[in-house]
Amino acid sequence: MTNPVKPFRYVMQIVLCVTLLLGIASSLSAQERQNELPQVIIETSEGVIEVTLRPDIAPATVENFLTYVQNGFYEGTIFHRVIPGFMIQGGGFDENLSRKETGDPVRNEARPTAKNLRGTIAMARTSSPDSATSQFFINLTDNSFLDAGVRGPGYAVFGKVTGGMGVVDAIAGKQTGQSRGMADVPNEPIVIHSVSQRKADSATE
């Protein structure tokens, strides 16, 4: 008489092997997708921040941001607004707190499924939804009230910090004050030396 336990064990081993292989394939696929997404390196006076952009959820916003990157716009700008437990904001003023001239605003691509979670990067804007230009902010915590549909149109998330979050937290810990009519300005300038797009081949090394 055939022992039914052995065939059952054999089937279970096959199932486990298939599940493992599918898991590996899924992980590799996710890694490949990650490598396909554009990445930028933000070199600051406090260290380097790596950001992976998401053109799949905010195509116009990413294109707008990369245009400023490619034009060298962010070189010499600062993080001019730093609020612990909330966010750090930069990309619009130089060390003298002079506003840089920008291009046309980009439409607001905020969506309820792209949430302002810790480490995400989003576009800063005025009270007008479609007013974002060059300024961006990095969320220090989950700021759900900035999400689309919570208190209005929301703020467009277009990427996430994938390296150097410690640098972001270090910037958040700097002493701030009032300067030239602006609040929450770091007492010592936090300078963005450069923002550059990482080449696809170097992202996979």
Side-chain angles (χ1 to χ4, degrees):
M1 182 175 181
T2 304
N3 186 347
V5 175
K6 289 184 178 180
F8 176 75
R9 287 178 179 172
Y10 180 69
V11 170
M12 289 304 298
Q13 288 175 350
I14 293 176
V15 170
L16 288 173
C17 287
V18 170
T19 302
L20 179 60
L21 289 172
L22 288 174
I24 293 173
S26 177
S27 177
L28 289 174
S29 178
Q31 184 177 3
E32 289 171 357
R33 289 195 300 272
Q34 178 82 356
N35 290 336
E36 289 173 358
L37 295 172
Q39 295 180 320
V40 295
I41 304 299
I42 305 174
E43 296 190 22
T44 80
S45 53
E46 292 298 312
V48 175
I49 304 167
E50 176 188 283
V51 176
T52 297
L53 305 178
R54 294 294 304 274
D56 53 324
I57 62 174
T61 305
V62 169
E63 181 181 4
N64 173 75
F65 180 74
L66 287 178
T67 297
Y68 284 108
V69 169
Q70 291 156 5
N71 291 338
F73 177 90
Y74 292 115
E75 294 179 10
T77 60
I78 61 171
F79 282 98
H80 64 275
R81 187 174 178 225
V82 171
I83 305 177
F86 179 31
M87 58 92 221
I88 63 172
Q89 180 176 335
F93 296 85
D94 63 20
E95 290 187 59
N96 298 316
L97 289 180
S98 296
R99 186 187 295 271
K100 295 193 68 172
E101 185 176 350
T102 64
D104 295 332
V106 64
R107 74 177 185 275
N108 188 355
E109 293 184 301
R111 58 176 66 187
T113 53
K115 301 183 180 300
N116 282 270
L117 303 175
R118 170 173 164 79
T120 54
I121 184 171
M123 294 302 295
R125 59 173 176 78
T126 67
S127 57
S128 174
D130 301 318
S131 59
T133 53
S134 66
Q135 292 187 42
F136 59 88
F137 63 90
I138 299 174
N139 288 291
L140 297 171
T141 188
D142 295 351
N143 293 314
S144 60
F145 66 95
L146 299 180
D147 296 342
V150 176
R151 294 185 182 178
Y155 291 76
V157 169
F158 64 99
K160 184 176 182 179
V161 173
T162 47
M165 196 61 195
V167 174
V168 175
D169 289 332
I171 294 173
K174 298 298 181 181
Q175 293 293 317
T176 62
Q178 298 268 345
S179 182
R180 296 188 63 177
M182 296 171 61
D184 307 306
V185 180
N187 295 337
E188 294 293 329
I190 310 297
V191 182
I192 297 175
H193 296 309
S194 68
V195 182
S196 58
Q197 185 171 357
R198 173 177 284 178
K199 295 181 181 178
D201 55 351
S202 64
T204 58
E205 291 178 354

